[in-house]
Amino acid sequence: MSRVIDVRFRPQGKVYYFDPGAFDIVKGDFVVVQTARGDECGEVSQGPHDVPPQALAKALRPVLRIADGADIRRMQKNREDEQRAFKECEERIRRHDLDMKLVDVEYTLDRNKILFYFTADGRIDFRDLVKDLAGVFHTRIELRQIGVRDESKLLGGLGICGQPFCCNRFLSDFQPVSIKMAKEQGLSLNPAKISGSCGRLMCCLAYEEDAYEYLNSLTPPQGGIVETPEGQGYVSEVNVLSGNIKVRLDKNPDAPPKLFKREECVYLRGGKRTKNSPKPRDPSPAPAPQKAPKQKG
C-alpha cells in the first residue's frame, strides 16, 4: 500500500494524490506541491491514507512544504489577477474575431505560466492571440481547449432537479453515461429530458444503473407472457423498483389487469427483452417417469 494525501487545486477540481513524506498534514491544510505545470498550492481534501499501488497512474510527487502565510497570500493574489486576465483575454478574443468562448483562467503559484481554458466547436488557430497575450502578461501563455462537460464543472449552475450540478458539487471525474442506461431505467428517450445543461446525458443516470440492472434481471419485461397464481397472462405494466407488475389474464381478457408481485410470477417468453431480462422458464411440471411393464410368467 502507498501512503498518500488528496489535494484539490480548485473547489470543483479533480483530486490528485501526493506523497505526504514526513509532514504532519491534516484535512483542510494548504500544501505546495510540484506538478507538470510547475509549483502549485492546493487544499488537502483528505489526510494521509493508504491506497493500493494499482490506484496510482504514475509515480507519486512529494509535498514540497506546508503552505505558509506568504504562499496563501500569493495564491489569493493570483485569484484576483485571474479575474483581470479573464477580461483582458476576452477583449483580445474579440479583437482577433475568434469563434471561441473563454471559460476560466488560472495562474501557477510562481506565476511562470498562465492558463486560459476555452470551448469551441472546432479547431482554433490562436497563435496570434498567444503572442498578443504574452506581450500583455509577460509570462508563458497556454490555451487549453476543454469540453462542454468541463465547462459546466467549472462554471456550475442548477440542474433540472433544482440542485447544483453534480459535476460542480462533488464529482471528481466524469463517468461514462450511455443511452442504454436511460432504457434500463424506463426513462423517456427525449434528449431534452435526459440531458443536462451541458447538452450531454445527465451524469446521474449512472448512479442507480447497477440497481436497475439487477432488478431488471428479476422482473418479467412489459409485454411478456407470465404464469401467475391465477393462470397465464401478459404483462401490461411494470414497476421495477416496487416489484409490482400488472397482468391481463388470458382467462378474462376484458377484465382490468391484476396486480402481482414479481416473486409470484414465472416469466415464460416474449416482451421487450433486454440483455438483463430474466431468462424464460417452462412452468409446466416434468412428466412423471413411466414404470416398466411387468413381464408375464
mmCIF file with all atom_site columns, all heavy atoms in Angstrom, residues 227-250:
data_model
loop_
_atom_site.group_PDB
_atom_site.id
_atom_site.type_symbol
_atom_site.label_atom_id
_atom_site.label_alt_id
_atom_site.label_comp_id
_atom_site.label_asym_id
_atom_site.label_entity_id
_atom_site.label_seq_id
_atom_site.pdbx_PDB_ins_code
_atom_site.Cartn_x
_atom_site.Cartn_y
_atom_site.Cartn_z
_atom_site.occupancy
_atom_site.B_iso_or_equiv
_atom_site.pdbx_formal_charge
_atom_site.auth_seq_id
_atom_site.auth_comp_id
_atom_site.auth_asym_id
_atom_site.auth_atom_id
_atom_site.pdbx_PDB_model_num
ATOM 1   N N   . GLU A 1 227 ? -46.724 -16.816 -16.010 1.00 0.00 ? 227 GLU A N   1
ATOM 2   C CA  . GLU A 1 227 ? -47.618 -17.712 -15.296 1.00 0.00 ? 227 GLU A CA  1
ATOM 3   C C   . GLU A 1 227 ? -47.815 -17.151 -13.901 1.00 0.00 ? 227 GLU A C   1
ATOM 4   O O   . GLU A 1 227 ? -46.849 -16.904 -13.175 1.00 0.00 ? 227 GLU A O   1
ATOM 5   C CB  . GLU A 1 227 ? -47.026 -19.120 -15.220 1.00 0.00 ? 227 GLU A CB  1
ATOM 6   C CG  . GLU A 1 227 ? -47.901 -20.134 -14.536 1.00 0.00 ? 227 GLU A CG  1
ATOM 7   C CD  . GLU A 1 227 ? -49.099 -20.545 -15.385 1.00 0.00 ? 227 GLU A CD  1
ATOM 8   O OE1 . GLU A 1 227 ? -48.984 -20.476 -16.641 1.00 0.00 ? 227 GLU A OE1 1
ATOM 9   O OE2 . GLU A 1 227 ? -50.134 -20.928 -14.812 1.00 0.00 ? 227 GLU A OE2 1
ATOM 10  N N   . THR A 1 228 ? -49.072 -16.884 -13.534 1.00 0.00 ? 228 THR A N   1
ATOM 11  C CA  . THR A 1 228 ? -49.387 -16.321 -12.223 1.00 0.00 ? 228 THR A CA  1
ATOM 12  C C   . THR A 1 228 ? -50.154 -17.348 -11.400 1.00 0.00 ? 228 THR A C   1
ATOM 13  O O   . THR A 1 228 ? -50.584 -18.398 -11.932 1.00 0.00 ? 228 THR A O   1
ATOM 14  C CB  . THR A 1 228 ? -50.240 -15.049 -12.381 1.00 0.00 ? 228 THR A CB  1
ATOM 15  O OG1 . THR A 1 228 ? -51.579 -15.430 -12.741 1.00 0.00 ? 228 THR A OG1 1
ATOM 16  C CG2 . THR A 1 228 ? -49.675 -14.123 -13.449 1.00 0.00 ? 228 THR A CG2 1
ATOM 17  N N   . PRO A 1 229 ? -50.368 -17.082 -10.114 1.00 0.00 ? 229 PRO A N   1
ATOM 18  C CA  . PRO A 1 229 ? -51.192 -17.993 -9.314  1.00 0.00 ? 229 PRO A CA  1
ATOM 19  C C   . PRO A 1 229 ? -52.608 -18.153 -9.839  1.00 0.00 ? 229 PRO A C   1
ATOM 20  O O   . PRO A 1 229 ? -53.305 -19.111 -9.479  1.00 0.00 ? 229 PRO A O   1
ATOM 21  C CB  . PRO A 1 229 ? -51.192 -17.331 -7.930  1.00 0.00 ? 229 PRO A CB  1
ATOM 22  C CG  . PRO A 1 229 ? -49.936 -16.535 -7.889  1.00 0.00 ? 229 PRO A CG  1
ATOM 23  C CD  . PRO A 1 229 ? -49.740 -16.045 -9.285  1.00 0.00 ? 229 PRO A CD  1
ATOM 24  N N   . GLU A 1 230 ? -53.055 -17.236 -10.709 1.00 0.00 ? 230 GLU A N   1
ATOM 25  C CA  . GLU A 1 230 ? -54.418 -17.297 -11.250 1.00 0.00 ? 230 GLU A CA  1
ATOM 26  C C   . GLU A 1 230 ? -54.436 -17.649 -12.730 1.00 0.00 ? 230 GLU A C   1
ATOM 27  O O   . GLU A 1 230 ? -55.452 -17.479 -13.407 1.00 0.00 ? 230 GLU A O   1
ATOM 28  C CB  . GLU A 1 230 ? -55.133 -15.973 -11.008 1.00 0.00 ? 230 GLU A CB  1
ATOM 29  C CG  . GLU A 1 230 ? -55.255 -15.596 -9.543  1.00 0.00 ? 230 GLU A CG  1
ATOM 30  C CD  . GLU A 1 230 ? -56.055 -14.327 -9.320  1.00 0.00 ? 230 GLU A CD  1
ATOM 31  O OE1 . GLU A 1 230 ? -56.890 -14.000 -10.199 1.00 0.00 ? 230 GLU A OE1 1
ATOM 32  O OE2 . GLU A 1 230 ? -55.855 -13.670 -8.284  1.00 0.00 ? 230 GLU A OE2 1
ATOM 33  N N   . GLY A 1 231 ? -53.309 -18.114 -13.268 1.00 0.00 ? 231 GLY A N   1
ATOM 34  C CA  . GLY A 1 231 ? -53.255 -18.514 -14.662 1.00 0.00 ? 231 GLY A CA  1
ATOM 35  C C   . GLY A 1 231 ? -52.307 -17.635 -15.472 1.00 0.00 ? 231 GLY A C   1
ATOM 36  O O   . GLY A 1 231 ? -51.665 -16.716 -14.953 1.00 0.00 ? 231 GLY A O   1
ATOM 37  N N   . GLN A 1 232 ? -52.235 -17.952 -16.780 1.00 0.00 ? 232 GLN A N   1
ATOM 38  C CA  . GLN A 1 232 ? -51.338 -17.223 -17.662 1.00 0.00 ? 232 GLN A CA  1
ATOM 39  C C   . GLN A 1 232 ? -51.926 -15.878 -18.071 1.00 0.00 ? 232 GLN A C   1
ATOM 40  O O   . GLN A 1 232 ? -53.137 -15.670 -18.052 1.00 0.00 ? 232 GLN A O   1
ATOM 41  C CB  . GLN A 1 232 ? -51.035 -18.046 -18.923 1.00 0.00 ? 232 GLN A CB  1
ATOM 42  C CG  . GLN A 1 232 ? -50.048 -19.172 -18.715 1.00 0.00 ? 232 GLN A CG  1
ATOM 43  C CD  . GLN A 1 232 ? -49.571 -19.754 -20.034 1.00 0.00 ? 232 GLN A CD  1
ATOM 44  O OE1 . GLN A 1 232 ? -49.685 -19.108 -21.082 1.00 0.00 ? 232 GLN A OE1 1
ATOM 45  N NE2 . GLN A 1 232 ? -49.038 -20.971 -19.977 1.00 0.00 ? 232 GLN A NE2 1
ATOM 46  N N   . GLY A 1 233 ? -51.008 -14.963 -18.463 1.00 0.00 ? 233 GLY A N   1
ATOM 47  C CA  . GLY A 1 233 ? -51.416 -13.667 -18.969 1.00 0.00 ? 233 GLY A CA  1
ATOM 48  C C   . GLY A 1 233 ? -50.210 -12.915 -19.478 1.00 0.00 ? 233 GLY A C   1
ATOM 49  O O   . GLY A 1 233 ? -49.073 -13.424 -19.437 1.00 0.00 ? 233 GLY A O   1
ATOM 50  N N   . TYR A 1 234 ? -50.462 -11.718 -19.984 1.00 0.00 ? 234 TYR A N   1
ATOM 51  C CA  . TYR A 1 234 ? -49.330 -10.920 -20.463 1.00 0.00 ? 234 TYR A CA  1
ATOM 52  C C   . TYR A 1 234 ? -49.179 -9.681  -19.592 1.00 0.00 ? 234 TYR A C   1
ATOM 53  O O   . TYR A 1 234 ? -50.154 -9.136  -19.057 1.00 0.00 ? 234 TYR A O   1
ATOM 54  C CB  . TYR A 1 234 ? -49.471 -10.566 -21.946 1.00 0.00 ? 234 TYR A CB  1
ATOM 55  C CG  . TYR A 1 234 ? -50.407 -9.429  -22.250 1.00 0.00 ? 234 TYR A CG  1
ATOM 56  C CD1 . TYR A 1 234 ? -49.943 -8.119  -22.341 1.00 0.00 ? 234 TYR A CD1 1
ATOM 57  C CD2 . TYR A 1 234 ? -51.757 -9.665  -22.468 1.00 0.00 ? 234 TYR A CD2 1
ATOM 58  C CE1 . TYR A 1 234 ? -50.801 -7.074  -22.626 1.00 0.00 ? 234 TYR A CE1 1
ATOM 59  C CE2 . TYR A 1 234 ? -52.632 -8.624  -22.757 1.00 0.00 ? 234 TYR A CE2 1
ATOM 60  C CZ  . TYR A 1 234 ? -52.152 -7.335  -22.828 1.00 0.00 ? 234 TYR A CZ  1
ATOM 61  O OH  . TYR A 1 234 ? -53.008 -6.304  -23.112 1.00 0.00 ? 234 TYR A OH  1
ATOM 62  N N   . VAL A 1 235 ? -47.946 -9.230  -19.455 1.00 0.00 ? 235 VAL A N   1
ATOM 63  C CA  . VAL A 1 235 ? -47.602 -8.114  -18.577 1.00 0.00 ? 235 VAL A CA  1
ATOM 64  C C   . VAL A 1 235 ? -47.952 -6.811  -19.292 1.00 0.00 ? 235 VAL A C   1
ATOM 65  O O   . VAL A 1 235 ? -47.398 -6.505  -20.347 1.00 0.00 ? 235 VAL A O   1
ATOM 66  C CB  . VAL A 1 235 ? -46.111 -8.142  -18.196 1.00 0.00 ? 235 VAL A CB  1
ATOM 67  C CG1 . VAL A 1 235 ? -45.755 -6.959  -17.293 1.00 0.00 ? 235 VAL A CG1 1
ATOM 68  C CG2 . VAL A 1 235 ? -45.756 -9.454  -17.515 1.00 0.00 ? 235 VAL A CG2 1
ATOM 69  N N   . SER A 1 236 ? -48.847 -6.039  -18.678 1.00 0.00 ? 236 SER A N   1
ATOM 70  C CA  . SER A 1 236 ? -49.244 -4.767  -19.279 1.00 0.00 ? 236 SER A CA  1
ATOM 71  C C   . SER A 1 236 ? -48.499 -3.585  -18.681 1.00 0.00 ? 236 SER A C   1
ATOM 72  O O   . SER A 1 236 ? -48.407 -2.525  -19.300 1.00 0.00 ? 236 SER A O   1
ATOM 73  C CB  . SER A 1 236 ? -50.753 -4.552  -19.118 1.00 0.00 ? 236 SER A CB  1
ATOM 74  O OG  . SER A 1 236 ? -51.106 -4.501  -17.743 1.00 0.00 ? 236 SER A OG  1
ATOM 75  N N   . GLU A 1 237 ? -47.956 -3.738  -17.463 1.00 0.00 ? 237 GLU A N   1
ATOM 76  C CA  . GLU A 1 237 ? -47.262 -2.631  -16.809 1.00 0.00 ? 237 GLU A CA  1
ATOM 77  C C   . GLU A 1 237 ? -46.292 -3.198  -15.782 1.00 0.00 ? 237 GLU A C   1
ATOM 78  O O   . GLU A 1 237 ? -46.570 -4.203  -15.128 1.00 0.00 ? 237 GLU A O   1
ATOM 79  C CB  . GLU A 1 237 ? -48.269 -1.694  -16.138 1.00 0.00 ? 237 GLU A CB  1
ATOM 80  C CG  . GLU A 1 237 ? -47.670 -0.409  -15.589 1.00 0.00 ? 237 GLU A CG  1
ATOM 81  C CD  . GLU A 1 237 ? -48.736 0.512   -15.013 1.00 0.00 ? 237 GLU A CD  1
ATOM 82  O OE1 . GLU A 1 237 ? -49.898 0.435   -15.464 1.00 0.00 ? 237 GLU A OE1 1
ATOM 83  O OE2 . GLU A 1 237 ? -48.402 1.294   -14.096 1.00 0.00 ? 237 GLU A OE2 1
ATOM 84  N N   . VAL A 1 238 ? -45.140 -2.521  -15.647 1.00 0.00 ? 238 VAL A N   1
ATOM 85  C CA  . VAL A 1 238 ? -44.102 -2.992  -14.731 1.00 0.00 ? 238 VAL A CA  1
ATOM 86  C C   . VAL A 1 238 ? -43.604 -1.819  -13.894 1.00 0.00 ? 238 VAL A C   1
ATOM 87  O O   . VAL A 1 238 ? -43.364 -0.731  -14.418 1.00 0.00 ? 238 VAL A O   1
ATOM 88  C CB  . VAL A 1 238 ? -42.902 -3.602  -15.497 1.00 0.00 ? 238 VAL A CB  1
ATOM 89  C CG1 . VAL A 1 238 ? -41.775 -3.982  -14.538 1.00 0.00 ? 238 VAL A CG1 1
ATOM 90  C CG2 . VAL A 1 238 ? -43.338 -4.819  -16.287 1.00 0.00 ? 238 VAL A CG2 1
ATOM 91  N N   . ASN A 1 239 ? -43.453 -2.037  -12.602 1.00 0.00 ? 239 ASN A N   1
ATOM 92  C CA  . ASN A 1 239 ? -42.771 -1.090  -11.722 1.00 0.00 ? 239 ASN A CA  1
ATOM 93  C C   . ASN A 1 239 ? -41.565 -1.821  -11.152 1.00 0.00 ? 239 ASN A C   1
ATOM 94  O O   . ASN A 1 239 ? -41.687 -2.630  -10.219 1.00 0.00 ? 239 ASN A O   1
ATOM 95  C CB  . ASN A 1 239 ? -43.691 -0.611  -10.600 1.00 0.00 ? 239 ASN A CB  1
ATOM 96  C CG  . ASN A 1 239 ? -43.094 0.535   -9.801  1.00 0.00 ? 239 ASN A CG  1
ATOM 97  O OD1 . ASN A 1 239 ? -41.896 0.524   -9.486  1.00 0.00 ? 239 ASN A OD1 1
ATOM 98  N ND2 . ASN A 1 239 ? -43.906 1.521   -9.461  1.00 0.00 ? 239 ASN A ND2 1
ATOM 99  N N   . VAL A 1 240 ? -40.400 -1.547  -11.747 1.00 0.00 ? 240 VAL A N   1
ATOM 100 C CA  . VAL A 1 240 ? -39.207 -2.310  -11.403 1.00 0.00 ? 240 VAL A CA  1
ATOM 101 C C   . VAL A 1 240 ? -38.808 -2.106  -9.950  1.00 0.00 ? 240 VAL A C   1
ATOM 102 O O   . VAL A 1 240 ? -38.404 -3.054  -9.262  1.00 0.00 ? 240 VAL A O   1
ATOM 103 C CB  . VAL A 1 240 ? -38.041 -1.922  -12.346 1.00 0.00 ? 240 VAL A CB  1
ATOM 104 C CG1 . VAL A 1 240 ? -36.768 -2.653  -11.960 1.00 0.00 ? 240 VAL A CG1 1
ATOM 105 C CG2 . VAL A 1 240 ? -38.405 -2.247  -13.786 1.00 0.00 ? 240 VAL A CG2 1
ATOM 106 N N   . LEU A 1 241 ? -38.915 -0.879  -9.453  1.00 0.00 ? 241 LEU A N   1
ATOM 107 C CA  . LEU A 1 241 ? -38.446 -0.580  -8.099  1.00 0.00 ? 241 LEU A CA  1
ATOM 108 C C   . LEU A 1 241 ? -39.308 -1.237  -7.030  1.00 0.00 ? 241 LEU A C   1
ATOM 109 O O   . LEU A 1 241 ? -38.793 -1.789  -6.054  1.00 0.00 ? 241 LEU A O   1
ATOM 110 C CB  . LEU A 1 241 ? -38.396 0.935   -7.883  1.00 0.00 ? 241 LEU A CB  1
ATOM 111 C CG  . LEU A 1 241 ? -37.389 1.703   -8.739  1.00 0.00 ? 241 LEU A CG  1
ATOM 112 C CD1 . LEU A 1 241 ? -37.429 3.181   -8.405  1.00 0.00 ? 241 LEU A CD1 1
ATOM 113 C CD2 . LEU A 1 241 ? -35.969 1.167   -8.544  1.00 0.00 ? 241 LEU A CD2 1
ATOM 114 N N   . SER A 1 242 ? -40.632 -1.186  -7.181  1.00 0.00 ? 242 SER A N   1
ATOM 115 C CA  . SER A 1 242 ? -41.519 -1.786  -6.183  1.00 0.00 ? 242 SER A CA  1
ATOM 116 C C   . SER A 1 242 ? -41.673 -3.287  -6.371  1.00 0.00 ? 242 SER A C   1
ATOM 117 O O   . SER A 1 242 ? -42.085 -3.993  -5.444  1.00 0.00 ? 242 SER A O   1
ATOM 118 C CB  . SER A 1 242 ? -42.890 -1.116  -6.232  1.00 0.00 ? 242 SER A CB  1
ATOM 119 O OG  . SER A 1 242 ? -43.550 -1.416  -7.452  1.00 0.00 ? 242 SER A OG  1
ATOM 120 N N   . GLY A 1 243 ? -41.373 -3.765  -7.583  1.00 0.00 ? 243 GLY A N   1
ATOM 121 C CA  . GLY A 1 243 ? -41.549 -5.189  -7.860  1.00 0.00 ? 243 GLY A CA  1
ATOM 122 C C   . GLY A 1 243 ? -42.974 -5.560  -8.212  1.00 0.00 ? 243 GLY A C   1
ATOM 123 O O   . GLY A 1 243 ? -43.305 -6.748  -8.279  1.00 0.00 ? 243 GLY A O   1
ATOM 124 N N   . ASN A 1 244 ? -43.853 -4.574  -8.455  1.00 0.00 ? 244 ASN A N   1
ATOM 125 C CA  . ASN A 1 244 ? -45.246 -4.838  -8.816  1.00 0.00 ? 244 ASN A CA  1
ATOM 126 C C   . ASN A 1 244 ? -45.381 -4.919  -10.332 1.00 0.00 ? 244 ASN A C   1
ATOM 127 O O   . ASN A 1 244 ? -44.812 -4.100  -11.061 1.00 0.00 ? 244 ASN A O   1
ATOM 128 C CB  . ASN A 1 244 ? -46.171 -3.745  -8.289  1.00 0.00 ? 244 ASN A CB  1
ATOM 129 C CG  . ASN A 1 244 ? -46.233 -3.726  -6.777  1.00 0.00 ? 244 ASN A CG  1
ATOM 130 O OD1 . ASN A 1 244 ? -46.106 -4.767  -6.123  1.00 0.00 ? 244 ASN A OD1 1
ATOM 131 N ND2 . ASN A 1 244 ? -46.429 -2.547  -6.204  1.00 0.00 ? 244 ASN A ND2 1
ATOM 132 N N   . ILE A 1 245 ? -46.135 -5.892  -10.803 1.00 0.00 ? 245 ILE A N   1
ATOM 133 C CA  . ILE A 1 245 ? -46.422 -5.994  -12.232 1.00 0.00 ? 245 ILE A CA  1
ATOM 134 C C   . ILE A 1 245 ? -47.925 -6.205  -12.406 1.00 0.00 ? 245 ILE A C   1
ATOM 135 O O   . ILE A 1 245 ? -48.574 -6.871  -11.594 1.00 0.00 ? 245 ILE A O   1
ATOM 136 C CB  . ILE A 1 245 ? -45.635 -7.134  -12.919 1.00 0.00 ? 245 ILE A CB  1
ATOM 137 C CG1 . ILE A 1 245 ? -45.987 -8.485  -12.311 1.00 0.00 ? 245 ILE A CG1 1
ATOM 138 C CG2 . ILE A 1 245 ? -44.143 -6.893  -12.827 1.00 0.00 ? 245 ILE A CG2 1
ATOM 139 C CD1 . ILE A 1 245 ? -45.322 -9.645  -13.020 1.00 0.00 ? 245 ILE A CD1 1
ATOM 140 N N   . LYS A 1 246 ? -48.474 -5.594  -13.449 1.00 0.00 ? 246 LYS A N   1
ATOM 141 C CA  . LYS A 1 246 ? -49.880 -5.762  -13.767 1.00 0.00 ? 246 LYS A CA  1
ATOM 142 C C   . LYS A 1 246 ? -49.998 -6.743  -14.925 1.00 0.00 ? 246 LYS A C   1
ATOM 143 O O   . LYS A 1 246 ? -49.323 -6.587  -15.949 1.00 0.00 ? 246 LYS A O   1
ATOM 144 C CB  . LYS A 1 246 ? -50.517 -4.421  -14.133 1.00 0.00 ? 246 LYS A CB  1
ATOM 145 C CG  . LYS A 1 246 ? -50.662 -3.474  -12.950 1.00 0.00 ? 246 LYS A CG  1
ATOM 146 C CD  . LYS A 1 246 ? -51.392 -2.202  -13.339 1.00 0.00 ? 246 LYS A CD  1
ATOM 147 C CE  . LYS A 1 246 ? -51.579 -1.282  -12.125 1.00 0.00 ? 246 LYS A CE  1
ATOM 148 N NZ  . LYS A 1 246 ? -52.299 -0.045  -12.481 1.00 0.00 ? 246 LYS A NZ  1
ATOM 149 N N   . VAL A 1 247 ? -50.866 -7.735  -14.733 1.00 0.00 ? 247 VAL A N   1
ATOM 150 C CA  . VAL A 1 247 ? -51.009 -8.817  -15.712 1.00 0.00 ? 247 VAL A CA  1
ATOM 151 C C   . VAL A 1 247 ? -52.461 -8.906  -16.153 1.00 0.00 ? 247 VAL A C   1
ATOM 152 O O   . VAL A 1 247 ? -53.380 -8.953  -15.320 1.00 0.00 ? 247 VAL A O   1
ATOM 153 C CB  . VAL A 1 247 ? -50.558 -10.165 -15.106 1.00 0.00 ? 247 VAL A CB  1
ATOM 154 C CG1 . VAL A 1 247 ? -50.717 -11.288 -16.132 1.00 0.00 ? 247 VAL A CG1 1
ATOM 155 C CG2 . VAL A 1 247 ? -49.122 -10.080 -14.622 1.00 0.00 ? 247 VAL A CG2 1
ATOM 156 N N   . ARG A 1 248 ? -52.673 -8.928  -17.476 1.00 0.00 ? 248 ARG A N   1
ATOM 157 C CA  . ARG A 1 248 ? -54.015 -9.155  -18.025 1.00 0.00 ? 248 ARG A CA  1
ATOM 158 C C   . ARG A 1 248 ? -54.145 -10.655 -18.283 1.00 0.00 ? 248 ARG A C   1
ATOM 159 O O   . ARG A 1 248 ? -53.439 -11.212 -19.133 1.00 0.00 ? 248 ARG A O   1
ATOM 160 C CB  . ARG A 1 248 ? -54.215 -8.354  -19.304 1.00 0.00 ? 248 ARG A CB  1
ATOM 161 C CG  . ARG A 1 248 ? -55.669 -8.321  -19.772 1.00 0.00 ? 248 ARG A CG  1
ATOM 162 C CD  . ARG A 1 248 ? -55.818 -7.438  -21.011 1.00 0.00 ? 248 ARG A CD  1
ATOM 163 N NE  . ARG A 1 248 ? -55.517 -6.042  -20.727 1.00 0.00 ? 248 ARG A NE  1
ATOM 164 C CZ  . ARG A 1 248 ? -56.394 -5.172  -20.217 1.00 0.00 ? 248 ARG A CZ  1
ATOM 165 N NH1 . ARG A 1 248 ? -57.629 -5.592  -19.920 1.00 0.00 ? 248 ARG A NH1 1
ATOM 166 N NH2 . ARG A 1 248 ? -56.055 -3.925  -20.002 1.00 0.00 ? 248 ARG A NH2 1
ATOM 167 N N   . LEU A 1 249 ? -55.001 -11.299 -17.524 1.00 0.00 ? 249 LEU A N   1
ATOM 168 C CA  . LEU A 1 249 ? -55.114 -12.747 -17.562 1.00 0.00 ? 249 LEU A CA  1
ATOM 169 C C   . LEU A 1 249 ? -55.808 -13.229 -18.826 1.00 0.00 ? 249 LEU A C   1
ATOM 170 O O   . LEU A 1 249 ? -56.789 -12.617 -19.293 1.00 0.00 ? 249 LEU A O   1
ATOM 171 C CB  . LEU A 1 249 ? -55.869 -13.244 -16.328 1.00 0.00 ? 249 LEU A CB  1
ATOM 172 C CG  . LEU A 1 249 ? -55.200 -12.937 -14.982 1.00 0.00 ? 249 LEU A CG  1
ATOM 173 C CD1 . LEU A 1 249 ? -56.115 -13.318 -13.833 1.00 0.00 ? 249 LEU A CD1 1
ATOM 174 C CD2 . LEU A 1 249 ? -53.861 -13.650 -14.867 1.00 0.00 ? 249 LEU A CD2 1
ATOM 175 N N   . ASP A 1 250 ? -55.321 -14.353 -19.380 1.00 0.00 ? 250 ASP A N   1
ATOM 176 C CA  . ASP A 1 250 ? -55.907 -14.906 -20.606 1.00 0.00 ? 250 ASP A CA  1
ATOM 177 C C   . ASP A 1 250 ? -57.333 -15.385 -20.381 1.00 0.00 ? 250 ASP A C   1
ATOM 178 O O   . ASP A 1 250 ? -58.176 -15.322 -21.290 1.00 0.00 ? 250 ASP A O   1
ATOM 179 C CB  . ASP A 1 250 ? -55.049 -16.077 -21.101 1.00 0.00 ? 250 ASP A CB  1
ATOM 180 C CG  . ASP A 1 250 ? -53.684 -15.622 -21.586 1.00 0.00 ? 250 ASP A CG  1
ATOM 181 O OD1 . ASP A 1 250 ? -53.514 -14.409 -21.789 1.00 0.00 ? 250 ASP A OD1 1
ATOM 182 O OD2 . ASP A 1 250 ? -52.787 -16.475 -21.748 1.00 0.00 ? 250 ASP A OD2 1
#
